[in-house]
Amino acid sequence: MSETKDRPYHHGDLRRALIDTALAMLALDQNWAFTLREVARRTGVSHAAPYKHFRDKGVLLRELARIGFVQLGDAMTAALSSDISSMRGKFVAAALACIDFALHNPGLYHLMFSSDADKTADRQLHDAAMNTFGILLRFLEEAQRSGSFRSVPVSAQAAACWAQVHGLAMLALNRQLLEEKVGNEPVQAALDVLLDGLCRGEWDRTRV
Amino acid sequence: MSETKDRPYHHGDLRRALIDTALAMLALDQNWAFTLREVARRTGVSHAAPYKHFRDKGVLLRELARIGFVQLGDAMTAALSSDISSMRGKFVAAALACIDFALHNPGLYHLMFSSDADKTADRQLHDAAMNTFGILLRFLEEAQRSGSFRSVPVSAQAAACWAQVHGLAMLALNRQLLEEKVGNEPVQAALDVLLDGLCRGEWDRTRV
DNA sequence: CCTCCATGTTTACAGGAGAAACTTATCGGG
DNA sequence: CCCGATAAGTTTCTCCTGTAAACATGGAGG
């Protein structure tokens, strides 16, 4: 009522409020059907109000996915800029950051990599995804320059890493990384196998 | 009319007909919303008829996913039993078979690895998925015994392979394997990186 | 101060999930 | 050979969703 904020009209930045509500729900439930009406309800507005800010459901979904890629990129950057010395260690940290992000934002992660968020339909979403991928590319270039990683086309290593981490995240989300299937430390173990293919020379697993 | 088959009553195995219709649609469109009514319509029955054979939509979805895992397993088995000599070659063949399966059954593949097909809710689905995974496990055991692959816990290699192939398939399906991102032969290149981590010794890439 | 328009609300409609009541055809038994 | 019982399919109904259109409101600019 007495808000002096720059809230535009009635509600006060309903656009942001809707996004926040949706993000909160996507963080809680990967199986949420994502109904626009539920978002509106939880935000305390009528079910038609969102249409004043998003032409349709898809526009909101893509905006949420875009935010997800930015957040994921931030998490990766943070992990890579930690004071871990070895490239191998940095890689593991970044991969775990991705998987952590997925586990803490299951719905959002699913959305980001689902075709509901069609990247060809939204330039900004496409750019955000490319930016995040670029973080991986730059890291691999550096790791090759430093001699830690083998000198093969960066694009090949990037595809392998992207696929592997994404695959691990999806499997973790869907609870398909059960012990009976893949042992008790599946993520670390799988990353070690990948790293054996990325890194130059041998690596003493027992030292880790 | 003159059928002597054991078809139950009116339609003639409506259950099978519904499954076939659904599979056909899942093969065509990964973005299909999958409405039970559309399946019924295309099968030529009323929208309530499917409920006589599937308690709810989820039961049908899980049955479809189960069939998908069986088919995927068959594709993998076929690829592995080809007359390719090297373990490395066999692995690539099996991985490509998986990705091919995904590209030819985009909707079904999505369904199989989505949480719509909750594996904890259906024993038969769970078993089918485990069976398919078992094909990979047995191959890795053989590859290690033969000396082609490194002797590390099979579960670790399995997790890495499963994640990588699944990740590649998902990225391919969502058209995220664009050249600008990952070069022009992303699948083969990514598998090579993974194989460098799986295999013992060095491998002359130029010979392939 | 008054009017305009961005931002809301209400109302309306098409389509889906699923339950319940109703219909029909097949089968096993008298 | 007819007769319920019952499986299989249809109609109808309720509740939900996405989305469009009509209506309301209140803050900003003339």
Side-chain angles (χ1 to χ4, degrees), chain A residues 1-204:
Chain A
M1 306 298 179
S2 58
E3 299 275 4
T4 56
K5 303 299 296 301
D6 57 336
R7 63 201 180 95
Y9 284 86
H10 308 108
H11 176 102
D13 211 349
L14 177 58
R15 181 188 159 87
R16 177 61 59 97
L18 290 168
I19 288 175
D20 287 345
T21 304
L23 284 177
M25 301 181 73
L26 285 173
L28 289 180
D29 188 0
Q30 76 171 293
N31 282 94
W32 177 36
F34 202 105
T35 69
L36 214 46
R37 286 167 106 105
E38 179 67 18
V39 175
R41 226 172 281 138
R42 297 232 185 177
T43 312
V45 294
S46 78
H47 65 264
Y51 286 90
K52 299 295 169 173
H53 299 272
F54 306 95
R55 178 171 31 253
D56 59 24
K57 198 177 161 180
V59 173
L60 173 57
L61 289 177
R62 287 191 290 271
E63 173 63 7
L64 292 168
R66 191 192 63 77
I67 293 171
F69 276 110
V70 172
Q71 290 180 359
L72 177 60
D74 290 348
M76 286 170 62
T77 300
L80 288 176
S81 60
S82 68
D83 58 354
I84 301 172
S85 57
S86 77
M87 284 297 165
R88 189 161 178 135
K90 283 195 178 195
F91 181 86
V92 171
L96 291 178
C98 286
I99 294 169
D100 249 47
F101 176 84
L103 289 175
H104 284 93
N105 300 276
L108 182 56
Y109 193 84
H110 261 133
L111 172 61
M112 287 161 58
F113 291 95
S114 92
S115 36
D116 281 347
D118 183 4
K119 283 165 199 60
T120 64
D122 186 325
R123 185 57 196 263
Q124 306 210 279
L125 172 56
H126 178 263
D127 290 350
M130 282 296 292
N131 264 352
T132 302
F133 188 74
I135 295 171
L136 171 61
L137 285 180
R138 285 194 296 280
F139 168 78
L140 290 172
E141 279 161 12
E142 187 195 336
Q144 286 197 12
R145 250 199 320 274
S146 77
S148 300
F149 280 24
R150 303 183 191 188
S151 286
V152 300
V154 167
S155 60
Q157 287 184 337
C161 297
W162 195 246
Q164 173 105 24
V165 172
H166 179 60
L168 284 173
M170 293 297 272
L171 292 175
L173 277 184
N174 291 333
R175 317 206 173 282
Q176 276 157 20
L177 291 177
L178 309 172
E179 260 193 51
E180 51 177 333
K181 268 187 180 173
V182 287
N184 53 348
E185 277 293 356
V187 173
Q188 184 67 49
L191 290 175
D192 275 335
V193 171
L194 175 65
L195 282 162
D196 286 340
L198 291 171
C199 291
R200 207 187 275 282
E202 288 301 319
W203 172 260
D204 185 358

Side-chain angles (χ1 to χ4, degrees), chain A residues 152-153 155-161 163, chain B residues 84 86-97 99-100 164-165 168-169 172 177 182-196 199 203-208:
Chain A
V152 300
S155 60
Q157 287 184 337
C161 297
Chain B
I84 300 171
S86 77
M87 284 297 164
R88 189 161 178 136
K90 283 195 178 193
F91 181 86
V92 171
L96 290 178
I99 294 168
D100 248 49
Q164 173 105 27
V165 173
L168 284 172
L177 290 178
V182 287
N184 54 348
E185 276 291 358
V187 173
Q188 184 67 48
L191 289 175
D192 274 337
V193 171
L194 175 65
L195 281 162
D196 285 341
C199 292
W203 174 259
D204 185 359
R205 259 208 190 74
T206 63
R207 266 199 347 200
V208 183

Side-chain angles (χ1 to χ4, degrees), chain B residues 10 35-37 41 47 51 57:
Chain B
H10 309 108
T35 69
L36 214 45
R37 289 165 106 104
R41 226 172 282 136
H47 66 261
Y51 288 92
K57 200 176 161 180

